[in-house]
Amino acid sequence: MSKQPIGIFDSGIGGTSIFKEINALLPNENCIYLADSINAPYGNKSSFDILRLSIKNTELLLSKGCKLIVVACNTATTNAISYLRANYKIPFIGIEPAIKPAALNTKTKTVGILATKGTLSSQLFHKTSDLYARGIKVVEQVGEGIVPLIESGKLQSNEMKELLAVYLEPMLKENIDYLVLGCTHYPYLIPMLTQMLPEHVSIIDSGLAVAKQTKAILLQHNLLNKNTQPPSIKLFTNGNLDILNAIINSEFETSYLDF
Ligand code: DGL
């Protein structure tokens, strides 16, 4: 069982930011990644649709023999992970906006969060926020339009810069000193955001924490792959293969799959 692959899925290519962290921390692990780009963005869909798509991705990864699934999408985690955990036998790792470290470390007592509508309106996000950010002002901003731009290969574009400027303005007015990236597509914006933000604003994302949690859960279930041969890594998209290849610098095997 330990030689079986880790399954990872996202609404599109953004979750490759999580896949890269997992591959760096667990280089022996075989991985299968699903980019459900044809259905991106998930962020504006109903909770029911997000659940339905998460089940579809899970079933496909299970049919490929995955031993554990990483839901590399904040929107799918916050809307579907309880159902997935309750209905499938294998372990699931999810990703949630890193409100806790931001709230613990802020000096201005104000943090910003950029995420999808689906994440910010979810019960799980509100629960986490209420639990860890008591007494802290959380400036929430829906990143409307960002995922479609990344999915259409316009990561580094003027359109993106203009959109980010609009979203950052209210946060900077409120004097945030932490910006939490609550969507797995957004780590790819870090170079642009770093240029746009004042120096005292730190950016936090949850990628490394997810990779560490994946390792801990594999260890706990005795599922860590101790093989030292090069792993089998396969990334599938039901969208544009060139755009997937561009975001991973063509470093891994990719193919188109109709799912
Ligand atoms: N990567 C997804 C997330 O982390 C993207 C959301 C979307 O498809 O709208 O939330």
Side-chain angles (χ1 to χ4, degrees), residues 38-52:
I38 200 99
N39 291 303
Y42 281 11
N44 294 338
K45 294 189 175 4
S46 67
S47 230
F48 178 81
D49 279 342
I50 297 167
L51 178 59
R52 183 178 55 78

Side-chain angles (χ1 to χ4, degrees), residues 2-9 15-16 18-34 61 64-70 211 214 218 225 229-236 252-254:
S2 65
K3 291 193 178 57
Q4 295 301 107
I6 294 176
I8 305 167
F9 77 82
T16 55
I18 307 302
F19 155 71
K20 286 178 189 172
E21 298 276 9
I22 291 172
N23 180 247
L25 189 70
L26 299 163
N28 298 337
E29 294 295 333
N30 300 315
C31 293
I32 296 179
Y33 180 92
L34 297 183
L61 290 170
K64 291 182 179 294
C66 292
K67 61 183 175 182
L68 169 150
I69 290 179
V70 179
T214 304
L218 286 176
N225 191 351
Q229 284 150 11
S232 153
I233 307 272
K234 289 188 178 127
L235 290 88
F236 297 100
F252 303 95
E253 185 187 328
T254 57

Side-chain angles (χ1 to χ4, degrees), residues 3-4 10 14 30 46 58 69 83 121 123 125 144 149 152 155 173 175 178 185 203 207 209 223 239:
K3 291 193 178 57
Q4 295 301 107
D10 178 38
N30 300 315
S46 67
T58 298
I69 290 179
Y83 178 93
S121 60
Q123 280 177 8
F125 171 73
E144 187 68 44
L149 279 180
S152 57
L155 176 63
K173 248 193 206 142
N175 198 21
Y178 279 87
H185 283 69
I203 301 172
L223 285 173

Side-chain angles (χ1 to χ4, degrees), residues 99-113:
I99 283 282
K100 187 179 171 184
L104 280 174
N105 292 304
T106 175
K107 293 197 174 59
T108 62
K109 301 288 169 221
T110 311
V111 303
I113 167 153

Side-chain angles (χ1 to χ4, degrees), residues 9-18 33 36 39-45 50 71-78 95 115-119 143 146-148 151 181-187:
F9 77 82
D10 178 38
S11 63
I13 57 176
T16 55
S17 63
I18 307 302
Y33 180 92
D36 191 14
N39 291 303
Y42 281 11
N44 294 338
K45 294 189 175 4
I50 297 167
V71 181
C73 176
N74 292 260
T75 313
T77 299
T78 47
I95 179 162
T116 68
K117 191 168 145 223
T119 295
I146 296 178
V147 168
E151 288 290 327
L181 302 183
C183 170
T184 56
H185 283 69
Y186 300 171

Side-chain angles (χ1 to χ4, degrees), residues 108-205:
T108 62
K109 301 288 169 221
T110 311
V111 303
I113 167 153
L114 190 61
T116 68
K117 191 168 145 223
T119 295
L120 292 177
S121 60
S122 68
Q123 280 177 8
L124 189 56
F125 171 73
H126 285 124
K127 221 170 114 190
T128 311
S129 195
D130 290 348
L131 189 65
Y132 297 116
R134 207 163 291 155
I136 305 288
K137 181 158 194 184
V138 180
V139 186
E140 295 179 16
Q141 177 65 56
V142 173
E144 187 68 44
I146 296 178
V147 168
L149 279 180
I150 296 176
E151 288 290 327
S152 57
K154 292 185 187 150
L155 176 63
Q156 271 135 13
S157 60
N158 282 338
E159 263 167 289
M160 182 69 86
K161 201 165 181 185
E162 280 161 20
L163 206 53
L164 291 180
V166 172
Y167 295 156
L168 294 179
E169 199 202 69
M171 297 189 184
L172 294 174
K173 248 193 206 142
E174 296 280 355
N175 198 21
I176 63 159
D177 58 357
Y178 279 87
L179 172 63
V180 178
L181 302 183
C183 170
T184 56
H185 283 69
Y186 300 171
Y188 288 112
L189 299 169
I190 291 175
M192 192 178 269
L193 285 168
T194 308
Q195 276 182 0
M196 298 174 74
L197 286 167
E199 247 175 47
H200 71 276
V201 179
S202 306
I203 301 172
I204 304 196
D205 74 84

